[in-house]
Amino acid sequence: TVTLYPDGKWTTAPGLSSGPAAAVKTKSAVITWVTDRASNSFVKYGTKSGNYGAEVGSSDQLVSHTISI
C-alpha cells in the first residue's frame, strides 16, 4: 500500500554553496550567489536598514544567481 505520493515540491530551501557577494556602486549593486541546487533568484532591498520593501528577481531555476539592483 502506498501512503505517500511525490508532489514535486522541495520541503527545504536550497543551501548556499558560495556568497552572497555584492559589487556596490553609487546608485546600483550586483548581488551574486551560488546554491546547491537549482532555484529562483529574488533579493529584497531598501534604502534604510531593516526596511526592505522592494524586491527584484527572476523565477528562472538556476544554480548560479546574479541580480542587478
Side-chain angles (χ1 to χ4, degrees):
T1 302
V2 175
T3 59
L4 297 174
Y5 296 96
D7 60 11
K9 297 178 184 176
W10 290 96
T11 58
T12 59
L16 285 173
S17 295
S18 71
V24 180
K25 296 183 180 178
T26 305
K27 294 186 178 185
S28 66
V30 176
I31 315 299
T32 59
W33 70 98
V34 177
T35 52
D36 60 1
R37 69 169 194 264
S39 64
N40 59 23
S41 310
F42 284 92
V43 173
K44 282 193 168 194
Y45 66 96
T47 57
K48 294 181 181 179
S49 180
N51 181 12
Y52 309 114
E55 183 176 64
V56 64
S58 170
S59 294
D60 295 341
Q61 299 293 299
L62 306 169
V63 174
S64 182
H65 309 268
T66 302
I67 296 295
S68 296
I69 299 173

